[in-house]
Amino acid sequence: MDKNQSVDDILEEIKRKKAARAQGEEAPAKAPQSAQELFSSAKRPQQERPAPTEAIRGGKEEEPASKPRQRAPEELFSSAKRSQQEALAKGAAPEAVREIPRAERAAFQEVEPEPIENVEAYFSSVFRANGLLSKQTDEPKAAAQAETVPHTERSAVAVEEPPKAEERREHFAVKIDDSGFGELPPQQGTSRRSRFAVEEDSARPKIPHKKGEGEKPSHKLKLFRREDLEEEEEDPISRFDGMAGNRFQREDLGATQMSIPLSKGEAPREDDSLTRALPPMAGRSTPFQDQRQKKAAQFRLNAPLEEEPIQRADELDDYDSPEDAPSVAKDISSTKMRLWVQLVLLILLFGISTYFAFSKNLPLPLPEFMFPERDMQTFLGVNLGVMIAAAVVSCTTVGGGLINLFTLKADNDSAVALATVAAIGQGVALVIGFEHMATPGVHFYFPIVIAGLLFNILGKLFLISRVQKNFRVVSSDYEKHALLMVGDRNLSQEMTQGLDLEEPHVAYSAPAEFLTRFLDCSYSEDQSESISRISTPILAGFSLLASIVSYFISRDLYLTLTVFTATLCICAPFTSAIVGNLPLYRGARILSKSGAMIAGYEALDHFDDAGALALNVNELFEDGSMTLHGIKAFADQRIDEAIVDAASVIAACGGLLTDIFMQMIGGKEELLKPVDDLVYEDGMGLSAWVDGKRVLIGSRELMLNHEIQTPDRDYELKFRRDGREVLYISNSGELTAMFIVSYNPSPDVVDELAELIDRNISLIIHTTDPNVTSQKVSDLFSYPSDLIKILPAKLYGEFDRLTSPRKRARAEIAYTGSILSKLQVFKTVATLKRSVTTGTVIQLAGLVLGYALVIFFAFTGSMSLMGFESMLLFQMFFALAAIIVPSLKRL
């Protein structure tokens, strides 16, 4: 057998043997080619095409002189696979290799397909029967070209109009299995296939399938949706193995149905004059095609996951994109205006209620109709009306507080809401039984409750004002950096190894294009609210229990109502909404001036545990902090080339000396060369390859480590004075130059770092400068050396990953890029956390003490000492203490 025999020749031999066994004689027959090969050969010039065989013209070929050895199908399959693999290894196009199985599949069919003598007429009749060819077109050129195509080749090709220069036609294969289901190949770049069912269509014309056979019903293909079937992409070898079913090629007609015969046979002849060339897709379209193309354009297979769209109700949920900035700013401004209106009204109502309350025992001017001496009922009714008006003004506080209480989510509004309901209930009872006002120990506490509502609104004003200031930072156009915590405990332990820390909590910063969940972080729960969630329902129960006990002691219902109202009023501190929001507002007012912000208490609680702060050395030494005092050249090498090579290495790693070297080359970045294999050797310096030369930039130890001779130490000491340091540069294994530099820290940075010493914060510094050591940083910034660690080189990759720019980051703590604002916001965290804690402790102490006093007076029959005047003084004292004491600490 000829070694150069192709796969098609092998398949042709097999078919010839089968035909001989079936007909009793051996007649050579050419194996059918694949549709794509036939189409390609049909389009070649006529003179380049081989002459048609005698079998095609109706004659027979002569027997070959010698018959090749008959080979088993398994051997042929193995040979075809090897040929295909060799073709792929030699760089053949995968599309071309995939055509090999198609020819073999056709060769191994039980029944050899007979050629369709007039392909154009055949497919034209099929298209017209399906309504796909409605427009009559006459293309003499297409018909003339079709006549020159051999019938064998045309039998597998859908006749088409010759494509114009700008037009492109796509062909695809349809696979029909024995079960009557078909399959379309996947689109490019996807693995999903389309499935269709084949069913009998009685409405279609009857088409003969074979000579001598009757007419068989045509079938139509019903396409399923693409997502109904998903398969893995087949490689060329697996497609070679799966040879079941028939495969043919057709032009993409842009329709969902077409009629084709399932069995192979000869189609009836039609005159060539009846041939219709299918017009190109670009030339015409139907409404159905337009609809299908529109659906196809919207259809995506294996599309990347996208973020869920922002769901909006009547109010904005959160600040989730820059487009939300106007809506969020407007919502904040409207909320602030509403709170201001409520505050002014409550101040007015508190003044009126307090005046009326004092007029009960003092001779203050009052309208004649409400003198308490003449008409106590009217007097009480007017006071109750003022109380109800205050409750209406603060309806959101009262309603929200009660709902949260009964849903077991009590907050800072719940205690004052309970006191409001109790005061109104007691007021109604006193208006009805006004004569009981003469009983010792019976009081009303309308001014106390209104004052509680007033301070509640004041605390919310601090909250919304802080949110407004912070939002200006978050939504600004400046570059923003988010302060984050290292989430990997193992990594944080490696970063803090050698530092005296109880827990390895490390904070770092990273640039972020957008800060997310701003409103969620801003309205996070503070310490006071966490305490209120537990204390409010418990103290409410204790108040009810105490009032019941007092009833059995006094046997007076109105005195019992007074005890119940008094305990609820004393358990609603004036500062419940202030102790958490006032310190944060003070912080926002100061930090916003430097472009920084702390969103809410959750951020304080999160970052207060940080015992170390990771910094890049470029942050400590700002622009202009480095000074080049001189250059000492060695050897006879060109210093200019050495400087360009060194500048390329320094610029690649972004070291401290970048600005200096860029100035030396005139700021021309085009002079920089590609840098390969850049490595930082711990405590010694940089090693890299530039233009095939090894470039070393670092300390004396780095040069000696690479066996490069350097001057002795006494020579170096001549230059190491007044805080100056030396930096060696070698090129191609020879010492090139020595740079004398000095480091000049900013006094403002030194002052900000001094604040961190009190908190015992450790500094973890990332640097590629061998002169920046723990001791050097300690000397320059007056920072304890035992709180400083230079990040080891093995963690540089992790550090770069953490601090690399990101699209989105959580808006807990952020600043606009300055190291001063970063240090200021970091040190402010601890100060604000202590302020909130101090205020909460004072408030809690006042709450417990006040409750104990009311219970003591109630059980001892001394409720006459707990009038509204005494309670107002008590509440104001602890409110001022909770506000002033935490504010004494300077931010």
Side-chain angles (χ1 to χ4, degrees), residues 797-842:
E798 291 293 335
F799 183 86
D800 292 339
R801 179 183 61 83
L802 291 174
T803 58
S804 60
R806 57 193 67 193
K807 292 287 186 181
R808 303 167 80 88
R810 189 171 176 85
E812 289 186 316
I813 298 179
Y815 62 98
T816 55
S818 170
I819 181 60
L820 294 176
S821 59
K822 177 179 181 177
L823 296 176
Q824 187 179 23
V825 72
F826 185 74
K827 70 160 177 99
T828 304
V829 169
T831 305
L832 294 181
K833 179 69 179 294
R834 286 198 298 267
S835 297
V836 173
T837 303
T838 302
T840 304
V841 171
I842 294 175

Side-chain angles (χ1 to χ4, degrees), residues 10 51 75 78 87 202 266 295 398 559 570 584 630 645 785 792 855:
I10 297 174
E75 184 179 357
S78 301
S202 58
E266 180 180 357
K295 290 176 64 178
V398 176
L559 187 60
I570 205 70
L584 285 168
D645 293 344
S785 59
I855 296 300

Side-chain angles (χ1 to χ4, degrees), residues 537-556:
I538 293 176
L539 292 176
F542 284 167
S543 298
L544 180 61
L545 180 63
S547 61
I548 294 174
V549 173
S550 68
Y551 175 78
F552 287 106
I553 294 175
S554 63
R555 298 293 178 175
D556 189 331

